[in-house]
Structures are given as C-alpha cells and as structure tokens.
Amino acid sequence: MFMMMYLFITCLMLTIIMMSMNIIISKKKMMDREKSSPFECGFDPISSPRTPFSLRFYLISIIFLIFDIEIVILFPLIPSMWFSNPMIWIFMFLIFSVLLIWGVYIEWNDGSLYWMK
C-alpha cells in the first residue's frame, strides 16, 4: 500500500517538476506577429487562415475512419475461422456484415455520402 502511494507521489512530483521547468524555460513567451502568423513558404499569407472549413469534407472523413476501423476489425475474423466453431463464426460474421451494410444504408439515405449538394 505504501509502495503504491510512494510511486503515485513520485510520479506526481516528477510531472509537476517537468511542467514547471517547461513553463520556466519555454521560448514561446514573447508573441509577435511573425511567430503567431501561419507559415506559407516565407511569404505573408494570401488569404485568411480562418476561412470556413467544409463540413461535408469533415463528415466524409469521419465516415471513412469509422468504416476503415470496421475493416480492421474484420481482418482477425479470417484467421479465427480455422480455430472456432463454424456455425458461431458464420453467425458472428453475418451479424457484423449486416451492421456494416445497415450503417452504409443509413448514411446513404441521410445523404452524407454525397460530396456536392
């Protein structure tokens, strides 16, 4: 019990010391226009860096990440086929496939997959 408490206090103190040292020796104390402006090949920016971001692009990228993760989850199913009960494996694969196709169907009906509107 005391060992865990000692370890916790040591880690906490080390973290506080490192954060304090970072604040003390940080070189980013002075803010000037050149340091706070976006870098564009050494020139002043042509347009404002705070232009509105396309929400459609963000939505498509999130959908891509979700389905990409689902594909990564599908990869271990193939080797596990040899070591599990075939009926259980087929049942799990069908459930996962139906959920994946259902998600695509919902996104399609919602209109999220259309880039230009």
Side-chain angles (χ1 to χ4, degrees):
M1 177 71 180
F2 289 116
M3 188 66 171
M4 285 181 54
M5 189 175 237
Y6 176 72
L7 184 64
F8 175 74
I9 291 173
T10 305
C11 289
L12 186 66
M13 291 302 293
L14 187 62
T15 305
I16 291 172
I17 289 171
M18 290 176 73
M19 289 176 68
S20 301
M21 290 301 291
N22 184 25
I23 291 170
I24 291 171
I25 63 174
S26 176
K27 291 184 178 184
K28 200 171 180 171
K29 288 184 179 179
M30 294 186 298
M31 291 295 219
D32 60 347
R33 190 179 86 77
E34 294 296 324
K35 295 270 186 188
S36 61
S37 67
F39 182 71
E40 199 169 295
C41 298
F43 301 107
D44 285 331
I46 297 170
S47 63
S48 173
R50 303 290 180 235
T51 55
F53 185 69
S54 172
L55 194 57
R56 305 292 302 165
F57 176 74
Y58 178 74
L59 188 60
I60 294 285
S61 63
I62 293 297
I63 291 170
F64 170 76
L65 284 175
I66 289 170
F67 287 111
D68 195 38
I69 289 170
E70 288 176 351
I71 296 296
V72 168
I73 291 172
L74 275 175
F75 280 141
L77 272 178
I78 296 168
S80 73
M81 176 178 59
W82 303 108
F83 302 112
S84 64
N85 186 351
M87 293 304 289
I88 294 174
W89 186 87
I90 289 172
F91 182 69
M92 294 304 289
F93 181 74
L94 285 177
I95 287 175
F96 192 79
S97 298
V98 165
L99 287 175
L100 188 63
I101 292 169
W102 186 35
V104 172
Y105 178 73
I106 289 172
E107 294 297 330
W108 194 332
N109 278 344
D110 190 37
S112 299
L113 298 178
Y114 297 113
W115 179 255
M116 301 297 262
K117 274 193 175 182

